Amino acid sequence: MDKVNINEKLSLFSDYGNQRVVGELNGQQVKLVKQKGEFIWHKHENEDELFFVIKGSFRMEFRDRTVVVNQNEFLIVPRGVEHKPVAEEEVSIMLFEPASTLNTGNVENELTRHVLDKI
Amino acid sequence: MDKVNINEKLSLFSDYGNQRVVGELNGQQVKLVKQKGEFIWHKHENEDELFFVIKGSFRMEFRDRTVVVNQNEFLIVPRGVEHKPVAEEEVSIMLFEPASTLNTGNVENELTRHVLDKI
């Protein structure tokens, strides 16, 4: 039951695309990630995902539209919906999603991370 | 799949202790609430609760200790643990918890809200 300071946790890492778990509750996890550049198209069959921008901005591409998400905004991507996050500049994102969520969803490649560090 | 701007949602209400639902995913809800003053001692038998401070600060009293939570910090209160939020000044909090969570937990009184507005 210790509080978590988001900026303090963000200061602990600088690599892109490597999610850290900073909280767990009700089978869900709170994760932090820094991203820059294009991620890959993927979807999650069984998990809805929430992306909350702590710093910076990014755009979420869907097959039929694009949503730009800025600081202090969040976007929920429902299960089954293909999406691709793209960040022109570094963005820091807090994720809320089931603990079972794999970062690359239905795609497995060199970006896939099965085990995440808890910080 | 529209994004949610936290500050815009917070500008839509000013009453204390009246949680608004601003997002839903995986059986969980994202809620916003403004609080000032003392809430009541209560606990949730089956739900862990996350309190993320958007603006201001508050203290969470437990039976054996107190945790001060400031802007950009969050605190997870596990199910079964008695707690009482106290805010000397107005605080804006984002909650992440199961949709089944009742604001006053195991206590029912005039502060209990069974139905929350979605904004």
Side-chain angles (χ1 to χ4, degrees):
Chain A
M1 286 199 298
D2 291 325
K3 67 178 179 180
V4 171
N5 183 297
I6 301 289
N7 292 327
E8 190 182 305
K9 294 294 187 191
L10 284 171
S11 75
L12 299 177
F13 64 97
S14 57
D15 50 342
Y16 297 133
N18 189 355
Q19 301 173 348
R20 265 71 168 191
V21 177
V22 294
E24 301 197 64
L25 71 165
N26 307 301
Q28 317 292 307
Q29 286 182 328
V30 185
K31 302 170 182 174
L32 289 176
V33 67
K34 293 181 181 181
Q35 204 77 46
K36 188 174 177 180
E38 288 206 8
F39 203 62
I40 55 165
W41 281 107
H42 68 285
K43 63 182 173 180
H44 306 274
E45 292 298 351
N46 302 305
E47 297 101 351
D48 311 318
E49 281 193 299
L50 184 150
F51 299 78
F52 182 85
V53 174
I54 300 295
K55 192 176 177 191
S57 69
F58 77 105
R59 65 174 192 270
M60 186 65 84
E61 297 189 359
F62 299 104
R63 290 298 186 187
D64 60 349
R65 57 195 276 247
T66 295
V67 179
V68 176
V69 192
N70 302 306
Q71 191 166 326
N72 262 328
E73 296 179 339
F74 71 76
L75 179 68
I76 293 173
V77 178
R79 61 195 68 187
V81 175
E82 280 192 297
H83 56 286
K84 181 176 77 166
V86 181
E88 302 291 345
E89 302 295 334
E90 178 179 302
V91 63
S92 296
I93 298 171
M94 186 164 72
L95 298 155
F96 287 120
E97 55 191 23
S100 58
T101 312
L102 196 61
N103 65 326
T104 53
N106 62 320
V107 178
E108 287 231 21
N109 65 13
E110 72 283 358
L111 296 173
T112 303
R113 292 182 178 272
H114 289 279
V115 180
L116 302 179
D117 287 342
K118 298 182 184 189
I119 63 173
Chain B
M1 285 199 299
D2 291 324
K3 67 178 179 180
V4 171
N5 183 296
I6 301 290
N7 293 328
E8 188 183 306
K9 294 294 187 191
L10 284 172
S11 75
L12 299 178
F13 64 96
S14 57
D15 51 340
Y16 297 134
N18 189 356
Q19 301 174 348
R20 264 71 167 188
V21 177
V22 294
E24 302 198 65
L25 70 165
N26 306 300
Q28 318 291 307
Q29 286 181 330
V30 185
K31 302 170 183 175
L32 290 176
V33 66
K34 294 182 179 179
Q35 204 77 45
K36 187 174 179 181
E38 289 206 7
F39 203 60
I40 55 164
W41 282 107
H42 67 284
K43 63 183 174 181
H44 306 274
E45 292 298 350
N46 301 305
E47 296 101 353
D48 311 319
E49 280 193 299
L50 185 150
F51 298 79
F52 182 84
V53 175
I54 300 295
K55 190 175 178 193
S57 70
F58 77 104
R59 66 174 192 271
M60 186 65 84
E61 298 190 0
F62 299 105
R63 291 298 187 185
D64 60 347
R65 58 196 277 248
T66 295
V67 179
V68 175
V69 191
N70 301 306
Q71 190 168 326
N72 261 329
E73 295 179 340
F74 72 75
L75 178 68
I76 293 173
V77 178
R79 62 194 69 188
V81 175
E82 280 191 297
H83 56 287
K84 180 176 77 166
V86 181
E88 302 290 345
E89 301 295 334
E90 179 179 301
V91 62
S92 297
I93 299 171
M94 186 166 75
L95 297 155
F96 184 60
E97 56 191 22
S100 58
T101 312
L102 195 61
N103 66 327
T104 53
N106 61 320
V107 178
E108 287 232 20
N109 65 12
E110 72 283 359
L111 296 172
T112 304
R113 291 183 179 272
H114 289 278
V115 180
L116 302 178
D117 286 343
K118 299 182 183 188
I119 61 173

